[in-house]
Amino acid sequence: ELPLGVDRGAKDAKRADDGGRLDAMGIPRSGGAISLVKGSRLRVVRDDASSVVRISRIAPSSGEEMSIATIDTNSGALTSYRTPNGTSILHQGATEASDDGNESSNDKGGMIPNFVRASTDNDRGGIDLISKNMMPSWVGCMMRTASKFSSEMRSHDEYWRRYGLRADSSPSCVCRSVEVLQESESDHVTVKAECAIVSDKSSKELLYVTITYRVYIDHRVNVAYKVVPDKCLRSLPSLARVGVTATINHELFDIGYFGRGPTENYPDRKAGVDMGYWRTTPSNIMGVGGGGGQYVYIVPGECGNRSDCVRASFRDEAGKNGVCFVHDDDAAPGHLANDGGSKPTEGFNFSASLHGARELERAEHTKDLKDRADGEAPIHVNIDQKILALGEFAWMPVSGAENVVSTREEHNFRFWMLPISPS
């Protein structure tokens, strides 16, 4: 084992004691999984009273039922996921509470669609920031009036506020229908949820999301998302991100990822950052260059992203239990060129923090955030197909097709969740 933060090439990513169970990229080989479930069968229960679909594996000899995954039919969220030895990957229960004690859709743990981020100084930049803080009141009033005729002058934060897409007022994911598909003697079950992302502010449907879970008998899960923005968002210059947010078991703080690192990087801040295998923890990943567990921005906001990731694993301190998120190339737009030839694709973006986006959004200073240590608090993980760039300066919002997340295009992405366990 090498110290945290040390660069290891992909060929050296395999742990020394894995017994050949991981391939050169550190991904579990299928051979062990096949022997693990030989003779087992899947059990699927749709419990309408509890509004869940439970998927489990029945052991052939003992008849013991081992839970694999649970999906909420009200929100489409993956609320429970366990490894073959029973380790719970997702944190159960509420993680953050609002000032009035109410919870929003991203406060209940599990894994759900995510389109918000804690605003950065650049996100707040634009005519709103300039007119309020740098001009006499009468000049500021005139500037704000003039900005109504130019969408590019207003800040992203102001737009997100209008549509209910800020991290402190994030929209809810509402499930319209759930379909459960399982073929006889199949090694997996498919759960397809048709959902709408609804603004808690206006009750408008902002986006339409189709979530497809393929849950395998060996505890692998393939997650596919299709995101279609509603026409009402066409005047919105950019979404903050398109992805999922998951709240991970606090014990799984040993992070290893193959992607750009070791410092944070974004679509417009990654050309000078190396690809490699990196080891870190949530308290370190939010600080540029390791950061010593300290947020490096005085006003907390979005930070800590890692780009072009092929995979990201979260393990316990012993390295024997956890989960590995793996980029699924087949779902990436442009994976195959029009002429049939292969074409390299970008991986996913990911970040991990001991504070949720709502907490970061509401904090005005780092002192407003509660002190938390690795292994003591749930881990807030973002896996994103695309994320808004940072921008060059704070006075005007980020622009340019390569830097924004389109509100006029359909987004498709897919990834694997692979269990890590001694078995």
Side-chain angles (χ1 to χ4, degrees), residues 229-248:
D230 187 81
K231 292 181 180 179
C232 71
L233 292 183
R234 288 187 175 178
S235 61
L236 185 69
S238 177
L239 294 168
R241 61 182 1 122
V242 171
V244 300
T245 184
T247 312
I248 302 293

Side-chain angles (χ1 to χ4, degrees), residues 295-416:
Y295 284 94
V296 296
Y297 303 106
I298 294 176
V299 179
E302 165 68 32
C303 61
N305 185 71
R306 268 57 174 174
S307 306
D308 300 340
C309 293
V310 178
R311 66 180 181 88
S313 63
F314 296 78
R315 305 178 190 233
D316 60 18
E317 195 167 14
K320 294 183 178 180
N321 297 288
V323 63
C324 185
F325 295 91
V326 180
H327 178 237
D328 191 337
D329 274 339
D330 291 339
H335 173 61
L336 295 179
N338 293 331
D339 61 0
S342 61
K343 177 181 178 181
T345 61
E346 297 178 347
F348 57 74
N349 297 274
F350 102 94
S351 61
S353 171
L354 299 178
H355 297 89
R358 169 176 288 204
E359 291 177 286
L360 296 176
E361 181 69 54
R362 292 186 170 183
E364 296 182 355
H365 193 281
T366 51
K367 66 179 178 62
D368 298 329
L369 296 173
K370 296 179 180 178
D371 291 333
R372 290 172 184 162
D374 293 322
E376 297 179 1
I379 306 166
H380 301 269
V381 177
N382 295 315
I383 303 290
D384 299 311
Q385 182 229 12
K386 196 166 185 181
I387 189 170
L388 178 65
L390 295 181
E392 297 179 1
F393 49 89
W395 310 126
M396 295 301 288
V398 181
S399 60
E402 71 281 4
N403 292 324
V404 302
V405 183
S406 175
T407 57
R408 295 172 175 264
E409 299 175 359
E410 179 181 302
H411 300 273
N412 293 275
F413 66 103
R414 189 164 68 205
F415 59 89
W416 286 94

Side-chain angles (χ1 to χ4, degrees), residues 94-412:
T95 58
E96 304 172 39
S98 60
D99 292 338
D100 57 9
N102 295 322
E103 297 172 354
S104 68
S105 60
N106 65 337
D107 298 330
K108 299 178 182 178
M111 185 173 76
I112 61 171
N114 187 27
F115 305 96
V116 304
R117 77 182 189 187
S119 296
T120 66
D121 285 344
N122 286 13
D123 292 337
R124 299 185 183 97
I127 204 69
D128 311 283
L129 183 67
I130 297 172
S131 62
K132 291 178 182 178
N133 299 296
M134 302 178 64
M135 297 292 173
S137 58
W138 65 273
V139 176
C141 182
M142 292 179 63
M143 293 177 69
R144 288 191 292 274
T145 301
S147 70
K148 294 180 180 179
F149 302 98
S150 175
S151 61
E152 294 184 356
M153 295 176 67
R154 303 201 74 91
S155 69
H156 288 298
D157 182 71
E158 180 62 26
Y159 274 106
W160 297 338
R161 186 192 305 275
R162 289 185 185 182
Y163 284 93
L165 285 168
R166 291 184 86 230
D168 61 353
S169 59
S170 57
S172 300
C173 186
V174 180
C175 218
R176 302 306 189 198
S177 67
V178 174
E179 184 179 11
V180 181
L181 304 171
Q182 184 184 20
E183 297 180 5
S184 177
E185 304 300 323
S186 174
D187 66 344
H188 71 278
V189 60
T190 300
V191 180
K192 185 177 181 180
E194 299 285 352
C195 305
I197 305 301
V198 181
S199 170
D200 288 345
K201 183 176 182 179
S202 65
S203 298
K204 286 184 178 180
E205 295 185 351
L206 305 177
L207 304 106
Y208 305 99
V209 182
T210 302
I211 312 172
T212 304
Y213 300 99
R214 281 189 290 153
V215 182
Y216 288 79
I217 200 169
D218 59 5
H219 293 243
R220 290 176 298 143
V221 179
N222 184 270
V223 186
Y225 278 78
K226 175 183 175 182
V227 179
V228 180
D230 187 81
K231 292 181 180 179
C232 71
L233 292 183
R234 288 187 175 178
S235 61
L236 185 69
S238 177
L239 294 168
R241 61 182 1 122
V242 171
V244 300
T245 184
T247 312
I248 302 293
N249 184 337
H250 66 279
E251 296 179 347
L252 308 179
F253 61 86
D254 181 359
I255 302 173
Y257 69 96
F258 186 79
R260 294 189 182 271
T263 61
E264 74 168 16
N265 50 92
Y266 284 80
D268 57 344
R269 294 288 190 281
K270 67 180 184 179
V273 186
D274 294 332
M275 286 289 292
Y277 180 79
W278 310 94
R279 295 278 303 285
T280 186
T281 67
S283 64
N284 283 322
I285 206 170
M286 299 306 285
V288 176
Q294 301 296 318
Y295 284 94
V296 296
Y297 303 106
I298 294 176
V299 179
E302 165 68 32
C303 61
N305 185 71
R306 268 57 174 174
S307 306
D308 300 340
C309 293
V310 178
R311 66 180 181 88
S313 63
F314 296 78
R315 305 178 190 233
D316 60 18
E317 195 167 14
K320 294 183 178 180
N321 297 288
V323 63
C324 185
F325 295 91
V326 180
H327 178 237
D328 191 337
D329 274 339
D330 291 339
H335 173 61
L336 295 179
N338 293 331
D339 61 0
S342 61
K343 177 181 178 181
T345 61
E346 297 178 347
F348 57 74
N349 297 274
F350 102 94
S351 61
S353 171
L354 299 178
H355 297 89
R358 169 176 288 204
E359 291 177 286
L360 296 176
E361 181 69 54
R362 292 186 170 183
E364 296 182 355
H365 193 281
T366 51
K367 66 179 178 62
D368 298 329
L369 296 173
K370 296 179 180 178
D371 291 333
R372 290 172 184 162
D374 293 322
E376 297 179 1
I379 306 166
H380 301 269
V381 177
N382 295 315
I383 303 290
D384 299 311
Q385 182 229 12
K386 196 166 185 181
I387 189 170
L388 178 65
L390 295 181
E392 297 179 1
F393 49 89
W395 310 126
M396 295 301 288
V398 181
S399 60
E402 71 281 4
N403 292 324
V404 302
V405 183
S406 175
T407 57
R408 295 172 175 264
E409 299 175 359
E410 179 181 302
H411 300 273
N412 293 275

Side-chain angles (χ1 to χ4, degrees), residues 20-82:
R21 289 183 286 109
L22 306 182
D23 64 16
M25 293 298 293
I27 298 173
R29 299 180 187 276
S30 60
I34 292 174
S35 62
L36 168 72
V37 300
K38 187 176 181 180
S40 299
R41 60 186 176 86
L42 280 171
R43 181 169 186 259
V44 183
V45 176
R46 179 164 181 167
D47 187 343
D48 290 330
S50 301
S51 301
V52 296
V53 174
R54 296 189 181 93
I55 304 166
S56 55
R57 174 171 59 88
I58 307 297
S61 54
S62 64
E64 180 183 4
E65 185 172 349
M66 305 184 69
S67 175
I68 301 176
T70 302
I71 297 162
D72 189 321
T73 57
N74 287 328
S75 65
L78 181 67
T79 57
S80 174
Y81 174 56
R82 293 181 179 273

